[in-house]
Amino acid sequence: GAGVSQSPSNKVTEKGKDVELRCDPISGHTALYWYRQSLGQGLEFLIYFQGNSAPDKSGLPSDRFSAERTGGSVSTLTIQRTQQEDSAVYLCASSFNRAYEQYFGPGTRLTVT
Amino acid sequence: QQQVKQSPQSLIVQKGGISIINCAYENTAFDYFPWYQQFPGKGPALLIAIRPDVSEKKEGRFTISFNKSAKQFSLHIMDSQPGDSATYFCAARGGGSQGNLIFGKGTKLSVKP
């Protein structure tokens, strides 16, 4: 079946611009996660959605970052007033629920110039 | 206490040899420990996972060894092949309602033919 998809695959933006990154989870998965992977680093948790519960935003690095999940499916991660340190690969994962395995999408590589 | 420490940072193994990657954690509330494999330009792919009530899990050439008292776990790749050359990440999930994974910083494995 179809896996987690993310778009765009690459995004180059100028410092100070806003960007939106999209994630389509695996159908039927109620949990959705966003992570960030900087060059040569491990994955850093950003935000977690579980069903209709309030999201766990504890990993968001600043108030410039926000995310929403519409209809319990597609999610959008928005970064406002981008900075060069926001350059990274943004990865989305989904799972059947919290207790199950997380499956990752291919990521969006964001470059802020 | 939320960290997962992974070693070595890089590893070179001859074809047919055994690759061993180690991880350590502090938080005894962690309840799930997966390993992910990541090829360049791709998202992480779940390789194998273990829960703390089990000391070992084997799937094909991949084995996780888990030492609850020492708070350590390791990945063993038997009969390593050049196609196994990738970056490997260990991770841990917090207990309770926490859903996100906490990742180690990764090990870059190169298997020489």
Side-chain angles (χ1 to χ4, degrees):
Chain A
V4 177
S5 60
Q6 293 185 245
S7 60
S9 55
N10 282 284
K11 177 72 177 179
V12 180
T13 190
E14 292 180 352
K15 177 182 173 181
K17 300 282 190 183
D18 298 352
V19 296
E20 286 188 349
L21 312 179
R22 177 186 168 106
C23 172
D24 282 86
I26 293 171
S27 177
H29 281 192
T30 63
L32 186 147
Y33 314 79
W34 283 97
Y35 294 88
R36 177 169 71 175
Q37 185 172 28
S38 302
L39 185 64
Q41 297 295 308
L43 284 76
E44 172 192 14
F45 165 68
L46 298 177
I47 188 168
Y48 156 51
F49 296 89
Q50 173 61 65
N52 296 321
S53 302
D56 176 356
K57 303 179 182 180
S58 60
L60 294 178
S62 77
D63 59 8
R64 296 186 296 105
F65 288 73
S66 63
E68 62 177 24
R69 188 178 185 191
T70 54
S73 181
V74 172
S75 177
T76 302
L77 177 70
T78 300
I79 308 173
Q80 295 180 310
R81 305 181 302 281
T82 52
Q83 304 294 312
Q84 287 189 330
E85 59 263 30
D86 299 334
S87 295
V89 176
Y90 289 82
L91 291 156
C92 175
S94 72
S95 64
F96 183 68
N97 65 37
R98 175 208 169 265
Y100 286 76
E101 298 82 3
Q102 294 183 24
Y103 296 93
F104 282 82
T108 293
R109 181 176 296 278
L110 175 66
T111 304
V112 182
T113 62
Chain B
Q1 196 172 19
Q2 284 292 90
Q3 286 184 335
V4 176
K5 295 182 179 179
Q6 183 171 348
S7 63
Q9 193 172 0
S10 62
L11 181 62
I12 300 174
V13 173
Q14 289 297 124
K15 178 182 174 181
I18 302 173
S19 304
I20 301 174
I21 304 170
N22 301 297
C23 286
Y25 64 97
E26 289 295 324
N27 189 345
T28 56
F30 288 156
D31 65 357
Y32 171 71
F33 301 87
W35 286 87
Y36 282 84
Q37 179 189 58
Q38 186 176 33
F39 292 104
K42 305 291 186 183
L46 180 65
L47 195 59
I48 187 172
I50 199 167
R51 298 185 190 273
D53 54 347
V54 177
S55 61
E56 185 175 281
K57 183 174 181 180
K58 183 176 180 180
E59 290 184 2
R61 296 185 294 110
F62 301 92
T63 300
I64 299 179
S65 297
F66 188 85
N67 186 330
K68 189 174 181 178
S69 61
K71 291 183 281 188
Q72 294 175 348
F73 58 111
S74 60
L75 175 69
H76 295 230
I77 306 174
M78 311 300 287
D79 186 26
S80 299
Q81 299 297 312
D84 297 330
S85 297
T87 300
Y88 293 81
F89 293 95
C90 63
R93 185 181 63 203
S97 62
Q98 195 170 351
N100 61 286
L101 295 173
I102 297 162
F103 285 83
K105 292 195 179 297
T107 296
K108 186 173 183 180
L109 171 66
S110 295
V111 180
K112 299 300 185 185

PDB file of all heavy atoms in Angstrom, chain B residues 68-91:
ATOM      1  N   LYS B  68      18.229  -4.630  30.350  1.00  0.00           N
ATOM      2  CA  LYS B  68      17.403  -3.670  31.090  1.00  0.00           C
ATOM      3  C   LYS B  68      18.143  -3.107  32.302  1.00  0.00           C
ATOM      4  O   LYS B  68      18.071  -1.914  32.593  1.00  0.00           O
ATOM      5  CB  LYS B  68      16.101  -4.342  31.515  1.00  0.00           C
ATOM      6  CG  LYS B  68      15.069  -3.412  32.095  1.00  0.00           C
ATOM      7  CD  LYS B  68      13.764  -4.160  32.341  1.00  0.00           C
ATOM      8  CE  LYS B  68      12.702  -3.228  32.899  1.00  0.00           C
ATOM      9  NZ  LYS B  68      11.414  -3.947  33.091  1.00  0.00           N
ATOM     10  N   SER B  69      18.873  -3.953  33.015  1.00  0.00           N
ATOM     11  CA  SER B  69      19.550  -3.498  34.230  1.00  0.00           C
ATOM     12  C   SER B  69      20.655  -2.493  33.911  1.00  0.00           C
ATOM     13  O   SER B  69      20.885  -1.539  34.653  1.00  0.00           O
ATOM     14  CB  SER B  69      20.127  -4.684  35.009  1.00  0.00           C
ATOM     15  OG  SER B  69      21.073  -5.375  34.214  1.00  0.00           O
ATOM     16  N   ALA B  70      21.318  -2.694  32.780  1.00  0.00           N
ATOM     17  CA  ALA B  70      22.391  -1.782  32.377  1.00  0.00           C
ATOM     18  C   ALA B  70      21.859  -0.597  31.574  1.00  0.00           C
ATOM     19  O   ALA B  70      22.611   0.337  31.280  1.00  0.00           O
ATOM     20  CB  ALA B  70      23.440  -2.527  31.559  1.00  0.00           C
ATOM     21  N   LYS B  71      20.591  -0.651  31.199  1.00  0.00           N
ATOM     22  CA  LYS B  71      19.966   0.379  30.362  1.00  0.00           C
ATOM     23  C   LYS B  71      20.746   0.561  29.066  1.00  0.00           C
ATOM     24  O   LYS B  71      21.121   1.681  28.669  1.00  0.00           O
ATOM     25  CB  LYS B  71      19.815   1.685  31.142  1.00  0.00           C
ATOM     26  CG  LYS B  71      18.771   1.581  32.256  1.00  0.00           C
ATOM     27  CD  LYS B  71      18.553   2.880  32.993  1.00  0.00           C
ATOM     28  CE  LYS B  71      19.649   3.124  33.990  1.00  0.00           C
ATOM     29  NZ  LYS B  71      19.388   4.288  34.861  1.00  0.00           N
ATOM     30  N   GLN B  72      20.999  -0.587  28.427  1.00  0.00           N
ATOM     31  CA  GLN B  72      21.731  -0.569  27.167  1.00  0.00           C
ATOM     32  C   GLN B  72      21.053  -1.526  26.190  1.00  0.00           C
ATOM     33  O   GLN B  72      20.459  -2.533  26.589  1.00  0.00           O
ATOM     34  CB  GLN B  72      23.189  -1.005  27.390  1.00  0.00           C
ATOM     35  CG  GLN B  72      24.002  -0.041  28.245  1.00  0.00           C
ATOM     36  CD  GLN B  72      25.391  -0.562  28.536  1.00  0.00           C
ATOM     37  OE1 GLN B  72      25.708  -1.732  28.301  1.00  0.00           O
ATOM     38  NE2 GLN B  72      26.253   0.308  29.037  1.00  0.00           N
ATOM     39  N   PHE B  73      21.172  -1.214  24.912  1.00  0.00           N
ATOM     40  CA  PHE B  73      20.700  -2.136  23.888  1.00  0.00           C
ATOM     41  C   PHE B  73      21.602  -1.988  22.665  1.00  0.00           C
ATOM     42  O   PHE B  73      22.238  -0.942  22.470  1.00  0.00           O
ATOM     43  CB  PHE B  73      19.220  -1.938  23.545  1.00  0.00           C
ATOM     44  CG  PHE B  73      18.833  -0.568  23.062  1.00  0.00           C
ATOM     45  CD1 PHE B  73      18.447  -0.368  21.745  1.00  0.00           C
ATOM     46  CD2 PHE B  73      18.791   0.525  23.933  1.00  0.00           C
ATOM     47  CE1 PHE B  73      18.054   0.876  21.295  1.00  0.00           C
ATOM     48  CE2 PHE B  73      18.413   1.782  23.494  1.00  0.00           C
ATOM     49  CZ  PHE B  73      18.037   1.956  22.170  1.00  0.00           C
ATOM     50  N   SER B  74      21.668  -3.061  21.889  1.00  0.00           N
ATOM     51  CA  SER B  74      22.591  -3.050  20.766  1.00  0.00           C
ATOM     52  C   SER B  74      21.985  -3.750  19.558  1.00  0.00           C
ATOM     53  O   SER B  74      21.098  -4.594  19.700  1.00  0.00           O
ATOM     54  CB  SER B  74      23.917  -3.710  21.149  1.00  0.00           C
ATOM     55  OG  SER B  74      23.703  -5.032  21.543  1.00  0.00           O
ATOM     56  N   LEU B  75      22.491  -3.362  18.408  1.00  0.00           N
ATOM     57  CA  LEU B  75      22.096  -3.982  17.142  1.00  0.00           C
ATOM     58  C   LEU B  75      23.289  -4.766  16.613  1.00  0.00           C
ATOM     59  O   LEU B  75      24.400  -4.234  16.531  1.00  0.00           O
ATOM     60  CB  LEU B  75      21.693  -2.907  16.123  1.00  0.00           C
ATOM     61  CG  LEU B  75      21.367  -3.413  14.714  1.00  0.00           C
ATOM     62  CD1 LEU B  75      20.065  -4.219  14.721  1.00  0.00           C
ATOM     63  CD2 LEU B  75      21.262  -2.255  13.737  1.00  0.00           C
ATOM     64  N   HIS B  76      23.041  -6.019  16.277  1.00  0.00           N
ATOM     65  CA  HIS B  76      24.068  -6.856  15.674  1.00  0.00           C
ATOM     66  C   HIS B  76      23.623  -7.210  14.264  1.00  0.00           C
ATOM     67  O   HIS B  76      22.480  -7.680  14.075  1.00  0.00           O
ATOM     68  CB  HIS B  76      24.257  -8.158  16.461  1.00  0.00           C
ATOM     69  CG  HIS B  76      24.792  -7.946  17.840  1.00  0.00           C
ATOM     70  ND1 HIS B  76      25.878  -8.635  18.332  1.00  0.00           N
ATOM     71  CD2 HIS B  76      24.404  -7.126  18.830  1.00  0.00           C
ATOM     72  CE1 HIS B  76      26.124  -8.244  19.574  1.00  0.00           C
ATOM     73  NE2 HIS B  76      25.247  -7.334  19.906  1.00  0.00           N
ATOM     74  N   ILE B  77      24.497  -6.949  13.294  1.00  0.00           N
ATOM     75  CA  ILE B  77      24.211  -7.339  11.913  1.00  0.00           C
ATOM     76  C   ILE B  77      25.189  -8.447  11.559  1.00  0.00           C
ATOM     77  O   ILE B  77      26.402  -8.221  11.471  1.00  0.00           O
ATOM     78  CB  ILE B  77      24.369  -6.154  10.942  1.00  0.00           C
ATOM     79  CG1 ILE B  77      23.508  -4.969  11.401  1.00  0.00           C
ATOM     80  CG2 ILE B  77      23.975  -6.584   9.526  1.00  0.00           C
ATOM     81  CD1 ILE B  77      23.718  -3.711  10.564  1.00  0.00           C
ATOM     82  N   MET B  78      24.655  -9.643  11.399  1.00  0.00           N
ATOM     83  CA  MET B  78      25.485 -10.800  11.066  1.00  0.00           C
ATOM     84  C   MET B  78      25.723 -10.845   9.560  1.00  0.00           C
ATOM     85  O   MET B  78      24.891 -10.361   8.780  1.00  0.00           O
ATOM     86  CB  MET B  78      24.778 -12.083  11.507  1.00  0.00           C
ATOM     87  CG  MET B  78      24.263 -12.048  12.936  1.00  0.00           C
ATOM     88  SD  MET B  78      25.542 -11.784  14.156  1.00  0.00           S
ATOM     89  CE  MET B  78      26.326 -13.391  14.085  1.00  0.00           C
ATOM     90  N   ASP B  79      26.866 -11.443   9.169  1.00  0.00           N
ATOM     91  CA  ASP B  79      27.171 -11.613   7.738  1.00  0.00           C
ATOM     92  C   ASP B  79      26.912 -10.293   6.996  1.00  0.00           C
ATOM     93  O   ASP B  79      26.154 -10.238   6.023  1.00  0.00           O
ATOM     94  CB  ASP B  79      26.312 -12.742   7.156  1.00  0.00           C
ATOM     95  CG  ASP B  79      26.672 -13.090   5.728  1.00  0.00           C
ATOM     96  OD1 ASP B  79      27.827 -12.849   5.342  1.00  0.00           O
ATOM     97  OD2 ASP B  79      25.783 -13.566   4.999  1.00  0.00           O
ATOM     98  N   SER B  80      27.524  -9.231   7.462  1.00  0.00           N
ATOM     99  CA  SER B  80      27.300  -7.895   6.892  1.00  0.00           C
ATOM    100  C   SER B  80      27.611  -7.868   5.395  1.00  0.00           C
ATOM    101  O   SER B  80      28.585  -8.495   4.933  1.00  0.00           O
ATOM    102  CB  SER B  80      28.164  -6.859   7.623  1.00  0.00           C
ATOM    103  OG  SER B  80      27.841  -6.804   8.998  1.00  0.00           O
ATOM    104  N   GLN B  81      26.762  -7.160   4.645  1.00  0.00           N
ATOM    105  CA  GLN B  81      26.885  -7.073   3.196  1.00  0.00           C
ATOM    106  C   GLN B  81      27.058  -5.609   2.773  1.00  0.00           C
ATOM    107  O   GLN B  81      26.607  -4.698   3.466  1.00  0.00           O
ATOM    108  CB  GLN B  81      25.633  -7.645   2.541  1.00  0.00           C
ATOM    109  CG  GLN B  81      25.377  -9.105   2.851  1.00  0.00           C
ATOM    110  CD  GLN B  81      26.490 -10.000   2.333  1.00  0.00           C
ATOM    111  OE1 GLN B  81      26.908  -9.878   1.169  1.00  0.00           O
ATOM    112  NE2 GLN B  81      26.993 -10.883   3.178  1.00  0.00           N
ATOM    113  N   PRO B  82      27.686  -5.381   1.614  1.00  0.00           N
ATOM    114  CA  PRO B  82      27.831  -3.991   1.141  1.00  0.00           C
ATOM    115  C   PRO B  82      26.505  -3.245   1.069  1.00  0.00           C
ATOM    116  O   PRO B  82      26.449  -2.036   1.290  1.00  0.00           O
ATOM    117  CB  PRO B  82      28.465  -4.173  -0.239  1.00  0.00           C
ATOM    118  CG  PRO B  82      29.259  -5.440  -0.127  1.00  0.00           C
ATOM    119  CD  PRO B  82      28.432  -6.336   0.759  1.00  0.00           C
ATOM    120  N   GLY B  83      25.429  -3.959   0.785  1.00  0.00           N
ATOM    121  CA  GLY B  83      24.099  -3.339   0.736  1.00  0.00           C
ATOM    122  C   GLY B  83      23.601  -2.882   2.084  1.00  0.00           C
ATOM    123  O   GLY B  83      22.607  -2.143   2.162  1.00  0.00           O
ATOM    124  N   ASP B  84      24.261  -3.291   3.165  1.00  0.00           N
ATOM    125  CA  ASP B  84      23.892  -2.831   4.505  1.00  0.00           C
ATOM    126  C   ASP B  84      24.503  -1.469   4.819  1.00  0.00           C
ATOM    127  O   ASP B  84      24.187  -0.873   5.861  1.00  0.00           O
ATOM    128  CB  ASP B  84      24.386  -3.830   5.569  1.00  0.00           C
ATOM    129  CG  ASP B  84      23.742  -5.197   5.450  1.00  0.00           C
ATOM    130  OD1 ASP B  84      22.588  -5.274   4.988  1.00  0.00           O
ATOM    131  OD2 ASP B  84      24.399  -6.194   5.821  1.00  0.00           O
ATOM    132  N   SER B  85      25.375  -0.997   3.945  1.00  0.00           N
ATOM    133  CA  SER B  85      26.028   0.302   4.162  1.00  0.00           C
ATOM    134  C   SER B  85      24.963   1.392   4.193  1.00  0.00           C
ATOM    135  O   SER B  85      24.266   1.635   3.199  1.00  0.00           O
ATOM    136  CB  SER B  85      27.049   0.579   3.065  1.00  0.00           C
ATOM    137  OG  SER B  85      28.089  -0.382   3.085  1.00  0.00           O
ATOM    138  N   ALA B  86      24.837   2.042   5.332  1.00  0.00           N
ATOM    139  CA  ALA B  86      23.774   3.018   5.578  1.00  0.00           C
ATOM    140  C   ALA B  86      24.053   3.654   6.932  1.00  0.00           C
ATOM    141  O   ALA B  86      25.015   3.297   7.618  1.00  0.00           O
ATOM    142  CB  ALA B  86      22.406   2.342   5.593  1.00  0.00           C
ATOM    143  N   THR B  87      23.180   4.575   7.323  1.00  0.00           N
ATOM    144  CA  THR B  87      23.244   5.129   8.668  1.00  0.00           C
ATOM    145  C   THR B  87      22.157   4.476   9.515  1.00  0.00           C
ATOM    146  O   THR B  87      21.011   4.364   9.074  1.00  0.00           O
ATOM    147  CB  THR B  87      23.078   6.655   8.656  1.00  0.00           C
ATOM    148  OG1 THR B  87      24.128   7.237   7.876  1.00  0.00           O
ATOM    149  CG2 THR B  87      23.143   7.227  10.064  1.00  0.00           C
ATOM    150  N   TYR B  88      22.533   4.050  10.690  1.00  0.00           N
ATOM    151  CA  TYR B  88      21.609   3.361  11.588  1.00  0.00           C
ATOM    152  C   TYR B  88      21.342   4.225  12.820  1.00  0.00           C
ATOM    153  O   TYR B  88      22.268   4.789  13.410  1.00  0.00           O
ATOM    154  CB  TYR B  88      22.191   2.006  12.008  1.00  0.00           C
ATOM    155  CG  TYR B  88      22.272   1.051  10.848  1.00  0.00           C
ATOM    156  CD1 TYR B  88      23.323   1.127   9.941  1.00  0.00           C
ATOM    157  CD2 TYR B  88      21.282   0.097  10.634  1.00  0.00           C
ATOM    158  CE1 TYR B  88      23.389   0.274   8.843  1.00  0.00           C
ATOM    159  CE2 TYR B  88      21.338  -0.762   9.550  1.00  0.00           C
ATOM    160  CZ  TYR B  88      22.385  -0.666   8.659  1.00  0.00           C
ATOM    161  OH  TYR B  88      22.438  -1.503   7.569  1.00  0.00           O
ATOM    162  N   PHE B  89      20.077   4.322  13.174  1.00  0.00           N
ATOM    163  CA  PHE B  89      19.670   5.111  14.337  1.00  0.00           C
ATOM    164  C   PHE B  89      18.958   4.204  15.333  1.00  0.00           C
ATOM    165  O   PHE B  89      18.043   3.455  14.961  1.00  0.00           O
ATOM    166  CB  PHE B  89      18.705   6.225  13.938  1.00  0.00           C
ATOM    167  CG  PHE B  89      19.310   7.297  13.082  1.00  0.00           C
ATOM    168  CD1 PHE B  89      19.210   7.245  11.705  1.00  0.00           C
ATOM    169  CD2 PHE B  89      19.969   8.374  13.666  1.00  0.00           C
ATOM    170  CE1 PHE B  89      19.758   8.244  10.905  1.00  0.00           C
ATOM    171  CE2 PHE B  89      20.527   9.378  12.884  1.00  0.00           C
ATOM    172  CZ  PHE B  89      20.423   9.303  11.497  1.00  0.00           C
ATOM    173  N   CYS B  90      19.359   4.289  16.594  1.00  0.00           N
ATOM    174  CA  CYS B  90      18.553   3.688  17.641  1.00  0.00           C
ATOM    175  C   CYS B  90      17.601   4.751  18.173  1.00  0.00           C
ATOM    176  O   CYS B  90      17.827   5.954  17.984  1.00  0.00           O
ATOM    177  CB  CYS B  90      19.415   3.130  18.770  1.00  0.00           C
ATOM    178  SG  CYS B  90      20.393   4.370  19.664  1.00  0.00           S
ATOM    179  N   ALA B  91      16.541   4.328  18.808  1.00  0.00           N
ATOM    180  CA  ALA B  91      15.565   5.272  19.338  1.00  0.00           C
ATOM    181  C   ALA B  91      14.877   4.656  20.545  1.00  0.00           C
ATOM    182  O   ALA B  91      14.969   3.442  20.789  1.00  0.00           O
ATOM    183  CB  ALA B  91      14.543   5.648  18.257  1.00  0.00           C
TER     184      ALA B  91
END
